[in-house]
Amino acid sequence: MKELGHPRRSHGTLAALAVFSVFTLVAIVDSSQYYFGQRLSERPVAFWRAAAYALPEWWMWALLTPMIVWAGRRLPIQRPHAVRNAALHVFGSVVIALVHLFVSLSLAWMTDPAGRSAPTFGAFFQVRLYFWFHVELLVYWAILGFSLAVDYYRQARRREVREAQLEARLAHAKLEALKMQLHPHFLFNTLNAVSVLVRKGENQAAVRMIAGLSDLLRLALDNSGAQEVTLEEEMHFLDRYLAIEKIRFGERLRVSVDVPRDALDARVPNLVLQPLVENAIRHGIAPEPGAGRLDIRADVLGDTLRLRVLDDGAGVDGTPSVRAGGGVGLRNTRERLRQLYGDRFRLELLPGRGRGTEAVLEIPLRFEEDVRQEVAHEYREDPSPDRG
């Protein structure tokens, strides 16, 4: 945690350097004006003497800046105490302006490069007070206004970050709820298949299916806290699922998988393919009396990952429920994709070539390094002081 404190200390140092740099620049401009003005008069002065006159005056404002910023934060000019705090700032600006003017004119009285412009310090102070008091007030209010503007901006950024975090947490909660619906949905379907095998007397196949279901549930629990996994992990889960389905359908189910090596490390939503495959088997292959073919393919298209699940069953025209958006699995998949990617995804069920249905899913191509960079970017963008 100590390392997280260093950036804040460095920011404070940079802010102090920036304040002194700004007032030094103002002092140089003021010195130049005084220098050239005196050259046109009968009492020219050296530039270094003009700078020695102006620098202490403006550096005092740099030293007063933290106090003005502190006062602005303790007494913000906003409801419910806007009038009272504004009055206190008016009083404070008058006091600080008088003190600053007195100290700076005392130094000028001792180091005035143009010589004493008045016989006494009282007269000198009275003349300068008449010409410079309003400037002193303007400097105070300029510092106060700038500090308040910076604070208001930071507060707005904190509100934006908090709202974004709340939205992210809400989206995560929705994703968890949707994902949790997939587990019982799939589990009930598999248990129903086991009961069918038992009723048929195919006890050995039922035992194998229960063992496969155990492996599948273990994999699902291992990734229960992950919204995204690698495509390789998703395919490993899908292999276990298809092993169970092959017990159900035997030779009627033929599966072909074509996933290029460069796509295996891509990030995909956890359990995104299983509902698409289940939909293809249920609506495409199961209703047909003969053998059916299931193709699972992945392609990398620039910055997009395209996943396809194809079957050679009855097709979209023969499955009204598919045209309507499918069952629980497909509806939840579509909603999860919307929560994860907004509008940056495509999920369509299209007529296959000749027969069957093709489910097409396109999502942004992301790898583990991209996820880490996004998290680091969100951390840097969060200016809240309690972070870390």
Side-chain angles (χ1 to χ4, degrees):
M1 291 298 177
K2 290 182 179 179
E3 292 183 359
L4 294 178
H6 290 317
R8 286 196 287 270
R9 290 199 296 269
S10 63
H11 290 165
T13 302
L14 290 175
L17 289 175
V19 169
F20 269 92
S21 298
V22 168
F23 281 108
T24 299
L25 180 62
V26 173
I28 291 174
V29 173
D30 190 17
S31 302
S32 301
Q33 183 182 15
Y34 188 81
Y35 169 74
F36 288 111
Q38 291 301 120
R39 286 194 62 179
L40 297 176
S41 69
E42 298 178 355
R43 295 179 294 178
V45 297
F47 183 80
W48 70 268
R49 294 193 67 184
Y53 172 72
L55 282 170
E57 176 183 353
W58 290 105
W59 279 347
M60 276 190 290
W61 278 117
L63 294 174
L64 289 169
T65 295
M67 183 176 67
I68 298 173
V69 171
W70 175 84
R73 290 174 177 171
R74 290 297 300 271
L75 302 170
I77 305 176
Q78 58 188 19
R79 294 181 179 179
H81 305 299
V83 176
R84 184 200 67 182
N85 291 348
L88 290 173
H89 279 295
V90 170
F91 176 77
S93 64
V94 171
V95 172
I96 288 179
L98 289 173
V99 171
H100 178 269
L101 196 61
F102 178 82
V103 175
S104 61
L105 290 181
S106 297
L107 293 174
W109 178 258
M110 295 182 291
T111 62
D112 187 5
R116 304 284 173 79
S117 57
T120 64
F121 177 76
F124 180 64
F125 181 80
Q126 185 177 3
V127 172
R128 294 302 180 94
L129 180 66
Y130 178 79
F131 285 103
W132 285 96
F133 181 68
H134 64 286
V135 176
E136 303 284 319
L137 292 178
L138 286 175
V139 173
Y140 175 94
W141 286 96
I143 297 172
L144 179 65
F146 182 78
S147 67
L148 290 178
V150 171
D151 284 343
Y152 291 154
Y153 170 77
R154 288 177 176 173
Q155 291 171 9
R157 287 288 294 124
R158 291 191 188 105
R159 283 194 298 270
E160 290 176 3
V161 171
R162 281 196 293 269
E163 290 172 1
Q165 290 173 341
L166 288 174
E167 290 178 3
R169 289 172 187 150
L170 178 60
H172 181 77
K174 290 180 178 178
L175 283 168
E176 285 297 325
L178 290 167
K179 194 174 71 174
M180 288 303 103
Q181 290 181 34
L182 289 175
H183 290 264
H185 175 70
F186 161 72
L187 179 62
F188 293 154
N189 287 345
T190 306
L191 291 176
N192 182 60
V194 172
S195 66
V196 170
L197 291 175
V198 172
R199 284 197 298 269
K200 289 182 178 180
E202 301 178 12
N203 296 333
Q204 207 169 15
V207 170
R208 290 203 311 271
M209 184 175 286
I210 292 173
L213 178 61
S214 175
D215 291 338
L216 200 63
L217 291 177
R218 178 179 54 80
L219 288 175
L221 289 174
D222 287 343
N223 290 327
S224 61
Q227 289 298 338
E228 289 184 318
V229 296
T230 64
L231 181 57
E232 185 173 18
E233 293 173 308
E234 182 72 6
M235 293 304 301
H236 185 55
F237 180 89
L238 195 61
D239 286 342
R240 295 295 184 272
Y241 170 74
L242 288 172
I244 294 176
E245 295 293 355
K246 286 179 181 178
I247 295 174
R248 287 179 58 197
F249 292 95
E251 296 298 324
R252 289 184 56 207
L253 178 60
R254 294 174 297 178
V255 179
S256 172
V257 177
D258 182 12
V259 178
R261 178 62 206 170
D262 61 343
L264 289 176
D265 293 330
R267 307 287 295 182
V268 299
N270 193 8
L271 296 180
V272 71
L273 285 175
Q274 186 271 332
L276 302 181
V277 171
E278 179 185 1
N279 189 75
I281 293 174
R282 180 181 178 186
H283 296 285
I285 295 174
E288 296 294 307
R293 180 181 176 87
L294 183 68
D295 292 317
I296 303 168
R297 300 175 185 173
D299 299 288
V300 176
L301 307 174
D303 58 355
T304 299
L305 176 66
R306 183 174 65 184
L307 303 172
R308 293 186 292 163
V309 177
L310 305 92
D311 67 77
D312 60 356
V316 172
D317 293 337
T319 53
S321 62
V322 175
R323 290 202 307 271
V328 173
L330 282 179
R331 286 199 303 271
N332 284 357
T333 298
R334 197 180 302 275
E335 185 60 29
R336 289 179 64 212
L337 291 169
R338 185 173 292 107
Q339 291 292 332
L340 281 169
Y341 306 113
D343 295 329
R344 297 179 301 134
F345 79 93
R346 172 191 173 209
L347 177 59
E348 290 185 331
L349 295 174
L350 306 172
R353 296 179 180 178
R355 279 177 57 84
T357 303
E358 178 180 4
V360 180
L361 170 62
E362 293 182 354
I363 59 176
L365 180 64
R366 299 197 313 163
F367 297 94
E368 182 65 29
E369 181 62 26
D370 300 323
V371 176
R372 286 198 296 267
Q373 289 178 359
E374 288 180 6
V375 172
H377 178 71
E378 290 175 2
Y379 183 89
R380 289 193 299 269
E381 286 295 315
D382 184 358
S384 56
D386 57 342
R387 187 66 180 258

